[in-house]
Amino acid sequence: MSATTLRPRLVTLGRRPYGDIEQAMRAFTEARGPDTEDEIWLVEHEPVYTQGLAGRAEHLLDPGRIPVIETQRGGQVTYHGPGQVVAYPLIDLKRHGIYVKEYVYRLEHCVLKVLEAHGITGHRVAGAPGIYVRLDDPRGHAALTGPRPADEPFRGLGKVAALGIKVSRHCTYHGVALNVAMDLRPFGGINPCGYAGLQTVDLLTLGVSTDWDTVARQLGERLATQFSR
């Protein structure tokens, strides 16, 4: 890496309420100009359900005491809570010469590499952003082959990372959430990302013993390298 290479600034925010961070991301994006450097925020949220722009009420099954916040990101409903690394890349796509499809691919690639560092093989599923693992063999290297069953598109799979983004004036906010060691029960109160019956897993479920700080650092570094220029 040359001395003139610019990397996004990594900002570790610790555990913070979702609403405060969502407002801060929006303000940062609205205020930034052509010379504003990219940043990547790493955060752990208090328990919250977030509903994307495409969200439908029927996917919110039983929120209980967990607050529900409507957001500007794409996608359906998801859950954020302690033990989950959430990365919010604030990236100027025009500066990097890429479009949304390439941006999503890069986000998913970074998650796949973090999982690989822990011996877990992640998979993409066409038409369903995020990263999935084989429940029967999360460390196996066999690729997913053939079309998924139409009535059970996620049969045998668990979702370990969710993705939901927003782009305004070529600049991104919101981002990707990777489950490390969570209380997974709140995912049972929703159809995760709009998919009924989709099982959500974390690294601990997959037999990986690690902590939030380690995974946040790994994901942050991957993202910073991916969006260096």
Side-chain angles (χ1 to χ4, degrees):
M1 185 176 295
S2 71
T4 58
T5 297
L6 295 177
R7 285 165 54 92
R9 176 173 173 251
L10 286 174
V11 181
T12 302
L13 297 169
R15 188 177 297 187
R16 300 281 293 276
Y18 178 85
D20 293 351
I21 299 302
E22 197 275 341
Q23 291 178 11
M25 284 191 295
R26 191 187 311 178
F28 178 94
T29 303
E30 291 175 351
R32 69 181 300 171
D35 297 323
T36 303
E37 289 303 323
D38 295 336
E39 296 189 359
I40 296 168
W41 296 0
L42 300 165
V43 64
E44 181 181 30
H45 287 307
E46 302 291 349
V48 64
Y49 291 119
T50 67
Q51 186 77 285
L53 290 172
R56 301 208 305 257
E58 61 262 35
H59 294 309
L60 193 63
L61 307 176
D62 182 18
R65 295 178 177 273
I66 298 175
V68 181
I69 297 180
E70 294 185 359
T71 78
Q72 293 187 323
R73 65 164 172 80
Q76 296 279 342
V77 64
T78 194
Y79 170 72
H80 296 305
Q84 180 188 66
V85 172
V86 186
Y88 293 127
L90 307 173
I91 305 296
D92 184 335
L93 298 183
K94 188 173 183 180
R95 178 185 294 159
H96 291 270
I98 62 175
Y99 295 96
V100 172
K101 186 175 181 180
E102 171 67 16
Y103 174 67
V104 169
Y105 181 88
R106 293 190 188 191
L107 293 184
E108 292 179 337
H109 173 78
C110 290
V111 174
L112 290 170
K113 299 306 287 185
V114 172
L115 293 176
E116 183 181 296
H118 293 279
I120 299 298
T121 301
H123 301 273
R124 294 181 173 95
V125 173
I131 297 298
Y132 304 80
V133 296
R134 292 182 184 273
L135 296 174
D136 63 346
D137 189 15
R139 297 179 183 272
H141 297 295
L144 299 182
T145 58
R148 307 298 301 170
D151 58 338
E152 293 183 275
F154 301 102
R155 186 171 64 194
L157 300 179
K159 190 167 191 175
V160 70
L163 189 149
I165 65 170
K166 174 71 176 179
V167 181
S168 175
R169 297 179 295 116
H170 309 289
C171 295
T172 69
Y173 60 109
H174 294 283
V176 61
L178 175 57
N179 305 331
V180 180
M182 305 179 67
D183 177 0
L184 295 170
R185 288 175 296 179
F187 285 102
I190 60 175
N191 290 328
C193 302
Y195 298 109
L198 173 59
Q199 184 171 341
T200 303
V201 296
D202 58 12
L203 289 176
L204 184 61
T205 304
L206 301 173
V208 175
S209 179
T210 185
D211 56 39
W212 190 92
D213 290 326
T214 297
V215 177
R217 183 174 64 254
Q218 291 171 328
L219 183 57
E221 285 297 323
R222 285 283 180 185
L223 289 166
T225 299
Q226 190 65 237
F227 295 108
S228 295
R229 57 187 178 89

